[in-house]
Amino acid sequence: MARRDPVFPGKRRARIVIAAGHDATANDDEENLVPLINLVFLLIVFFLLAGTIDQRDTIPVSPPRSISDEPVPDRRLVVSALADGMVYLNGRPVARGELTGALVREAATHAAPGIDSAMYNPGGSPDRRVVHLRADASLSLGQLRSLLVLIEDAGVSETRLQTRVP
Amino acid sequence: MKLQRSPVAPRIGLTPLIDVVFILLLFFMLATSFQQSHSILLKFSTGTAPNPQTDRPVLTLRLTPNELLFDGRTIRVAQLAAQLDQRLASEPALTVVVRGASMVSVQRMVQVVDQLRLSRVVDYQLDMDTKR
């Protein structure tokens, strides 16, 4: 029979649940965290699989929007051209006058035996040399053309303009 | 003094694991980019003659920052695909030359190239108008 509360006789005395011990409460806490960790791991897997980590994207270029669906390879030789006239080769700033020489040197580095030459020469064919141009959408055609002349002087047979989805 | 061995094996706390996992999550959230990159081939005509194959019909589009001239008529860029489709019906082997003024933005040129893609024009060349 339940004991009556001496102050409030109409009420039952509250039952105090004593935890089985410190360990048990710690266990409960950690068990509550398991779904959270599962979720966080799933998020990590999502970001790992769905996204790409691309260091070159740190250069503030906004490429033109296009409906083109031709994919770009992961490893590629990239010339970035900013709206203010700065030119980068694979993320390193290059003076405009030195772009041709820098491209030739870069091509020589990547064509060396044992080093992945796919960057410059994806088909493996010696006469197909591809450079990807990440040009800002606000550049003028004249600026693009003069840059293209410098790139073609390095023996590049194909220059592809990088675009982004609209 | 006698050391008492606890009957319960020591537990490894989950908290440091969660810390590391959150740091990993933060890293991937900040370092990952979802912007998909595609590309178009830049085919600029090289010599003075825009088309060496003289037996094929050539259509030259003139592009300025403000207008697009198709057969001497000003049209909007969005109308280009429809106009080209009509032309391609009668001349399937058409070569299109986009002659842009040097002040035309890259974005505007890409818009025109997109229209060429929509009409499935395979043979096109870009050209820069040096006079303007």
Side-chain angles (χ1 to χ4, degrees), chain A residues 1-150:
Chain A
M1 191 188 145
R3 286 170 63 188
R4 295 279 159 187
D5 193 299
V7 185
F8 303 104
K11 276 188 83 178
R12 281 190 186 170
R13 180 177 277 181
R15 280 174 67 193
I16 299 163
V17 179
I18 299 165
H22 178 74
D23 261 353
T25 44
N27 239 344
D28 286 350
D29 284 352
E30 294 199 343
E31 270 168 25
N32 291 339
L33 282 176
V34 173
L36 172 77
I37 300 166
N38 288 345
L39 191 74
V40 170
F41 265 115
L42 279 176
L43 279 172
I44 290 177
V45 171
F46 167 72
F47 280 109
L48 264 169
L49 297 182
T52 49
I53 297 173
D54 198 346
Q55 201 190 348
R56 285 180 286 259
D57 282 350
T58 51
I59 298 167
V61 173
S62 71
R65 296 177 183 278
S66 166
I67 56 163
S68 167
D69 53 359
E70 290 175 52
V72 292
D74 284 342
R75 289 179 63 78
R76 57 190 185 271
L77 209 58
V78 182
V79 174
S80 304
L82 267 67
D84 61 1
M86 287 283 284
V87 179
Y88 292 80
L89 174 59
N90 274 359
R92 291 187 306 277
V94 178
R96 212 165 241 270
E98 290 162 16
L99 179 62
T100 307
L103 268 169
V104 171
R105 278 197 300 279
E106 195 80 5
T109 314
H110 291 286
I115 298 171
D116 185 11
S117 64
M119 211 164 181
Y120 195 68
N121 197 0
S125 136
D127 49 326
R128 186 168 181 250
R129 296 174 153 190
V130 185
V131 162
H132 285 261
L133 180 60
R134 260 186 108 230
D136 202 275
S138 64
L139 279 182
S140 74
L141 203 57
Q143 288 169 302
L144 186 79
R145 189 76 186 94
S146 66
L147 210 60
L148 218 60
V149 169
L150 295 173

Side-chain angles (χ1 to χ4, degrees), chain A residues 27 30 40 47 51-52 65-70 137 139-142 145 148 158-163, chain B residues 11 18 21 25 28-29 32-33 37-42 44 102 104-107 109-110 114 117 128:
Chain A
N27 239 344
E30 294 199 343
V40 170
F47 280 109
T52 49
R65 296 177 183 278
S66 166
I67 56 163
S68 167
D69 53 359
E70 290 175 52
L139 279 182
S140 74
L141 203 57
R145 189 76 186 94
L148 218 60
E158 198 178 315
T159 310
R160 303 195 69 93
L161 181 70
Q162 214 162 303
T163 60
Chain B
R11 290 174 53 84
I18 300 165
V21 166
L25 180 66
F28 284 111
M29 276 176 75
T32 316
S33 82
S37 286
H38 298 290
S39 67
I40 57 169
L41 180 61
L42 287 175
F44 271 93
S102 66
V104 169
S105 72
V106 170
Q107 178 65 74
M109 188 203 71
V110 169
D114 276 354
R117 285 182 70 93
M128 207 182 76

